[in-house]
Amino acid sequence: MIEYPVLAFDTCGVTGTVALVDLGHDAAAVTCIAQTELGGRAASAQLVPAIPALLRDAGLDLQGIRALVVVNGPGSFTGIRVGLSTAKGLAHAAAIPIVALSRLFVLGSLIHTPGDALALLDAGRNEFYARRAEREWLASSAEIAAAAEGGISLIVAEEEVANRFASWRPEQVGPLDAFAAARAALPRLRTGAQEDLGALDANYLRRSDAELFAWPARNVAQ
C-alpha cells in the first residue's frame, strides 16, 4: 500500500522523467514506485499522458497525490516551460502542494562526499550552468578551471562535461532524474513546505535564443 504518494518530474534535460514515489513513514527514505522516461524532443508531448498512466498502474488518481515535485531548470527552455506549467496546472486543479527544485541543487544532492563543490551542467556554447553553495550562474570553462585549480571539487552528471574537465577528476554522479529530485526534496516535503503558485517561475539562468537574437524594436512615431 502506498502511504504517502508524491509525483515528481524533471523535463529539463535531454530526456525527461516522471516518477511516482512513496514517502511512507520513514523520515529519511523515499521509495520509487514507478518511473517513466520521456524520450528526447518528444518529452513535452509525452509528459501529460505519462502522468495518468503512472497513477492508473498504481491504483491511484490525482486526488490521492499528497505533493508534487518539479525541477524548474536550468536546462531545455521548452522542457522547463512544459514541466513547470504542467506542475502548476495540476497543483491548482487538485489543490496539491508543490515543491520546485533547481536541477543543479538535485545534482549537488547526489555527491558521495559532502563538502565545498561546484555542480555543473552543460549549457552549450562552451558555457556551463554552475552552482556553489546557494549561488547559481552561467560559468565559462576558464572560470571552472580556475575554481578546480583552487581545490574546489567538480560534480557532474553528463559524460561530455566529465570529459571536458577530466584533468581535475570530477565526481560523476547520477542518475539525474525525477526520483533523484524527489529524494532531494525530502527535507522540504517532510516539513510541509510548498511554493506560492503565483510567484513560482522558471530557473533559466540564461535568456532564450529568441531574446538574444531578436531584432531590436523600431522607434515608431506617434
Side-chain angles (χ1 to χ4, degrees), residues 50-130:
I51 293 170
L54 276 179
L55 296 178
R56 183 176 59 251
D57 290 346
L60 294 172
D61 57 23
L62 189 59
Q63 284 66 38
I65 296 299
R66 302 287 294 274
L68 296 169
V69 174
V70 62
V71 179
N72 66 334
S76 160
F77 282 83
T78 299
I80 293 171
R81 287 192 293 268
V82 168
L84 191 57
S85 62
T86 301
K88 293 175 75 170
L90 293 175
H92 178 74
I96 305 172
I98 181 173
V99 171
L101 299 175
S102 163
R103 200 162 194 245
L104 288 164
F105 174 81
V106 178
L107 174 58
S109 75
L110 296 174
I111 61 175
H112 302 113
T113 305
D116 192 8
L118 188 60
L120 300 172
L121 291 167
D122 185 17
R125 303 177 190 145
N126 203 32
E127 293 180 313
F128 301 86
Y129 300 120

Side-chain angles (χ1 to χ4, degrees), residues 171-186:
E171 181 179 353
Q172 187 171 0
V173 297
L176 186 58
D177 55 18
F179 182 40
R183 296 198 307 272
L186 181 59

Side-chain angles (χ1 to χ4, degrees), residues 5 28 42 55-56 81 91 105-106 108 115 136 144 146 158 161 165 175 186-187 192 200-201 209:
L55 296 178
R56 183 176 59 251
R81 287 192 293 268
F105 174 81
V106 178
E136 295 190 356
I144 294 166
E158 301 153 316
V161 181
F165 297 105
L186 181 59
L200 179 57
D201 202 356
D209 285 348

Side-chain angles (χ1 to χ4, degrees), residues 1-6 21-26 33 60 64 66:
M1 179 180 177
I2 304 175
E3 299 175 354
Y4 198 111
V6 173
V21 306
D22 184 12
L23 267 61
H25 294 298
D26 188 338
I33 304 304
L60 294 172
R66 302 287 294 274

